[in-house]
Amino acid sequence: MSLTLAQFNDLSQEVAIAQLLTCCTSKSWAYKLADARPFADVDALLASSDAIWNKVQNDEANLLEAFDGHPQIGNVASLKEKYRNTQSSAAHEQSGANDAADEVLEALAKGNRDYLDKFGFIFIVFATGKSAQQMLDLLLARLPNDRATELANAAAEQNKITRLRLTKLLGNAETSK
């Protein structure tokens, strides 16, 4: 569903929260952002989203709830599907990933399992425009981190994903940022 900002502002609280939960599955974030309506423009909505996320991310339970909204990529078959099936994904989100080598996909699947085992949550990264190799490189660079560092990294990546999803929800409305 794509909405105008005016339509979003006019949604019932329940429907607004449901729409926001498609962007980020942290209920605390969604409830607070729905409560902050109406927004004058998309930039105001994004700024409010950022401010609310900065507050709610201080509670690890909110972070984990948001991270749980992402599919876990844990096997080579699902990675092949993700990186080779351009018909079900936007081309710009798959740039360079269609010809990912099986070795890269296998390493990415193993890295995802290692990450989950070490940190207790899945690897979160703003994947738009990244190839499988770039994703693997980022995962391997972050794997040596401690849990607190990774929670902060994943929270920052989650916010990028949320901002993209919000702009898509609002029909890619123009922003000044």
Side-chain angles (χ1 to χ4, degrees):
M1 170 187 268
S2 184
L3 302 166
T4 66
L5 182 61
Q7 289 170 326
F8 176 73
N9 283 336
D10 289 340
L11 293 175
S12 70
Q13 186 75 354
E14 181 180 311
V15 173
I17 290 166
Q19 289 298 313
L20 291 170
L21 287 170
T22 68
C23 299
C24 175
T25 55
S26 166
K27 289 182 183 120
S28 181
W29 169 85
Y31 278 79
K32 289 177 183 352
L33 190 58
D35 283 343
R37 295 175 304 144
F39 297 103
D41 55 37
V42 175
D43 287 334
L45 179 141
L46 293 173
S48 185
S49 174
D50 290 346
I52 292 167
W53 181 247
N54 285 335
K55 289 178 186 163
V56 302
Q57 73 176 333
N58 293 325
D59 181 349
E60 185 175 309
N62 290 326
L63 289 177
L64 297 178
E65 186 176 45
F67 302 163
D68 282 346
H70 296 274
Q72 180 182 346
I73 301 169
N75 64 60
V76 176
S78 68
L79 286 168
K80 285 182 181 180
E81 175 81 15
K82 176 176 175 57
Y83 286 112
R84 294 206 174 129
N85 186 0
T86 58
Q87 304 200 348
S88 66
S89 301
H92 70 278
E93 293 180 2
Q94 300 294 324
S95 66
N98 296 329
D99 40 318
D102 286 349
E103 302 79 40
V104 172
L105 297 179
E106 289 169 13
L108 192 52
K110 181 186 182 317
N112 273 298
R113 287 189 303 272
D114 292 346
Y115 187 97
L116 178 61
D117 289 346
K118 179 175 182 178
F119 297 114
F121 56 91
I122 65 167
F123 177 64
I124 304 290
V125 66
F126 182 76
T128 299
K130 291 179 178 65
S131 70
Q133 182 63 56
Q134 289 169 319
M135 299 268 287
L136 176 60
D137 293 344
L138 289 167
L139 189 152
L140 294 175
R142 287 172 48 187
L143 199 53
N145 292 336
D146 62 33
R147 191 167 193 276
T149 300
E150 251 339 272
L151 279 168
N153 286 336
E157 295 297 303
Q158 174 66 53
N159 195 47
K160 292 177 196 175
I161 295 164
T162 300
R163 287 176 64 90
L164 176 67
R165 290 177 179 174
L166 282 169
T167 59
K168 285 183 177 181
L169 175 67
L170 297 172
N172 296 306
E174 290 290 320
T175 68
S176 63
K177 296 175 186 164

